[in-house]
């Protein structure tokens, strides 16, 4: 993989046949865009944002739901709410006809039990997870497999679905091997548009590897940052001149997953402007590399900007992404309709 992700450009472009065009029009009509909490992280962390505010934002922009971490909002977070507070969030979502998807940055039993308890009160079915263990890769994979078996049991018991995100340190084939080994229909994958870069993978290659199991997606813009023997990434506005990802191609392929029905149930708009993530996997690593512990994701105040400026700009950046993604969908629709007209 090189800077600018040149390897992905060698992938043959899809040919839009009339049959595929008809499928694409249908998929665009039913696409489910979700507001994600991360684009509002400064407001959640340093401002007064609450889960109810994210629901208000999603409703104002005619989105289909929200995806929110249990800890977003500090003392105002879902994790700190009692049953009455959670029921108030569920009531607002029902009023707006919005779905809620939950997220945790763990696969540990205690964290899983907490999110499951909240999900039962909120009426939530879909939960994003990822592991944050330290050790040799072989040890980590054994620990995660045990965690996934516990997730499978909870999914069956409480009518839930867990989607494991590729979160910068595991390669897509390793995640697929875990999901295949546990082999449970309620355990699948969440594809993040940029996290594969930090594991030394190209975006389209990672998408193709995970494709059979992708149920949710995090959309964002990423500038690839070359490092010695690896690659990090820097969050930029999706679709901007600094964005190195093949976003149109990735969005098209994800829309088309699934035969009779869409496979991806939520496209979460996770604009991560100014987020930094280092390389976690390296071209010169040994066969069983040591994976360091990683803290939960956070975005520091960019150099040259104040907290007040970030608080003021966050919502504009989030709206920019909504505009960009909807613009792409409109372009896809026009191309598909032109293909059908000329058939």
């Amino acid at each position: 993989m090189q800077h600018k992700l040149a390897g992905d450009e060698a992938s043959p472009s899809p040919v839009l046949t009339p049959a595929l065009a008809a499928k694409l029009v249908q998929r665009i009509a039913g696409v489910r865009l979700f507001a994600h909490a991360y684009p509002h992280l400064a407001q959640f962390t340093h401002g007064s944002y609450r889960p109810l505010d994210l629901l208000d934002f999603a409703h104002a922009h005619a989105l289909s739901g929200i995806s929110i971490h249990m800890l977003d909002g500090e003392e105002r977070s879902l994790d700190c709410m009692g049953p009455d507070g959670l029921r108030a969030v569920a009531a607002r979502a029902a009023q707006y006809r919005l779905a809620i998807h939950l997220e945790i940055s763990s696969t540990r039993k205690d964290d899983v039990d907490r999110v499951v308890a909240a999900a039962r009160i909120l009426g939530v079915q879909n939960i994003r997870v990822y592991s944050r263990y330290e050790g040799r890769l072989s040890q980590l994979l054994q620990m995660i497999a045990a965690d996934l078996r516990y997730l499978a049991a909870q999914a069956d018991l409480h009518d839930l679905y867990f989607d494991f995100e590729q979160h910068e340190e595991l390669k897509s084939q390793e995640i697929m091997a875990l999901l295949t080994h546990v082999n449970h229909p309620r355990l699948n994958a969440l594809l993040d548009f940029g996290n594969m870069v930090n594991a030394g993978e190209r975006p389209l290659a990672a998408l193709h590897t995970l494709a059979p199991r992708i149920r949710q997606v995090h959309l964002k813009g990423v500038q690839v940052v070359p490092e010695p023997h690896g690659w990090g990434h820097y969050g930029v506005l999706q679709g901007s001149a600094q964005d190195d990802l093949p976003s149109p191609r990735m969005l098209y392929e994800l829309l088309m997953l699934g035969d009779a029905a869409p496979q991806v149930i939520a496209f979460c708009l996770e604009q991560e402007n100014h987020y930094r993530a280092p390389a976690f996997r390296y071209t010169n690593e040994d066969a069983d590399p040591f994976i360091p512990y990683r803290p939960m994701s956070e975005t520091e105040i960019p150099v040259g900007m104040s907290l007040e400026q970030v608080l003021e700009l966050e919502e504009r950046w989030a709206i920019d992404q909504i505009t960009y993604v909807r613009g792409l969908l409109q372009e896809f629709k026009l191309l598909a309709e032109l293909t059908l007209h000329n058939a």
Side-chain angles (χ1 to χ4, degrees):
M1 186 170 98
Q2 300 176 347
H3 187 43
K4 293 293 183 185
L5 307 175
D8 277 330
E9 282 133 22
S11 181
S13 298
V15 176
L16 196 60
T17 64
L20 288 176
K23 181 179 179 180
L24 181 57
V25 170
Q26 183 183 50
R27 292 295 166 87
I28 292 170
V31 68
R32 302 176 78 227
L33 300 180
F34 278 48
H36 196 281
Y38 202 93
H40 310 272
L41 184 63
Q43 286 286 357
F44 271 115
T45 304
H46 305 289
S48 58
Y49 233 59
R50 306 161 300 157
L52 291 174
D53 294 302
L54 189 62
L55 285 167
D56 290 344
F57 176 86
H59 176 65
H61 294 280
L63 301 175
S64 298
I66 67 168
S67 186
I68 184 168
H69 199 286
M70 284 289 291
L71 301 180
D72 285 327
E74 309 297 311
E75 71 279 358
R76 293 161 273 108
S77 69
L78 296 172
D79 195 56
C80 290
M81 288 183 185
D84 288 344
L86 293 173
R87 280 190 282 268
V89 172
R92 181 74 61 88
Q95 175 190 345
Y96 290 155
R97 298 183 180 179
L98 294 173
I100 300 175
H101 290 191
L102 296 178
E103 301 194 353
I104 56 173
S105 302
S106 171
T107 52
R108 295 178 183 271
K109 180 180 183 300
D110 290 349
D111 296 318
V112 171
D113 289 346
R114 289 179 69 85
V115 72
V116 167
R120 295 183 67 189
I121 297 172
L122 288 164
V124 165
Q125 279 194 304
N126 296 285
I127 301 171
R128 185 287 310 258
V129 300
Y130 68 86
S131 58
R132 290 189 298 123
Y133 291 122
E134 178 175 275
R136 290 290 172 184
L137 176 62
S138 58
Q139 298 171 321
L140 266 57
L141 295 177
Q142 291 178 2
M143 296 166 67
I144 296 168
D147 287 351
L148 292 181
R149 285 190 286 271
Y150 182 72
L151 289 173
Q154 295 303 300
D156 281 339
L157 185 61
H158 301 296
D159 190 22
L160 300 171
Y161 295 85
F162 291 94
D163 296 321
F164 190 98
E165 180 178 355
Q166 98 297 2
H167 209 279
E168 303 171 354
E169 72 274 48
L170 292 184
K171 293 181 180 292
S172 300
Q173 62 265 30
E174 293 160 357
I175 295 172
M176 276 298 291
L178 284 165
L179 293 172
T180 301
H181 175 70
V182 177
N183 192 27
H184 195 282
R186 291 177 178 268
L187 298 186
N188 288 285
L190 184 151
L191 178 82
D192 181 279
F193 261 41
N195 287 350
M196 72 290 289
V197 168
N198 309 74
E201 296 182 294
R202 295 191 299 269
L204 283 174
L207 189 161
H208 294 157
T209 299
L210 287 171
R213 303 300 290 265
I214 298 171
R215 288 184 74 249
Q216 296 193 64
V217 175
H218 284 171
L219 294 90
K220 65 186 184 186
V222 160
Q223 186 176 59
V224 179
V225 181
E227 298 181 16
H229 307 294
W231 295 267
H233 81 245
Y234 183 75
V236 297
L237 298 178
Q238 189 177 18
S240 67
Q242 294 76 38
D243 186 2
D244 289 328
L245 300 182
S247 287
R249 174 69 178 273
M250 294 174 74
L251 180 58
Y252 169 79
E253 294 206 12
L254 290 162
L255 282 168
M256 301 297 273
L257 289 179
D259 295 326
Q263 183 176 308
V264 177
I265 66 167
F267 290 85
C268 305
L269 300 163
E270 196 189 29
Q271 189 91 285
E272 291 188 354
N273 205 23
H274 299 294
Y275 170 73
R276 294 180 182 274
F280 278 88
R281 302 293 290 273
Y282 301 93
T283 56
N284 64 342
E285 67 186 19
D286 62 34
D288 192 17
F290 180 83
I291 307 296
Y293 175 80
R294 56 152 299 151
M296 288 175 52
S297 300
E298 60 179 279
T299 300
E300 298 179 354
I301 303 302
V303 175
M305 296 184 68
S306 66
L307 172 60
E308 290 70 25
Q309 287 174 310
V310 174
L311 291 171
E312 181 180 346
L313 289 170
E314 266 191 337
E315 184 166 311
R316 185 185 306 170
W317 294 336
I319 294 171
D320 281 346
Q321 187 181 29
I322 296 172
T323 302
Y324 170 72
V325 172
R326 283 184 168 153
L328 271 185
L329 293 171
Q330 182 62 22
E331 289 182 33
F332 290 169
K333 183 181 177 183
L334 289 173
L335 286 171
E337 290 176 341
L338 182 60
T339 298
L340 292 171
H341 178 74
N342 293 333

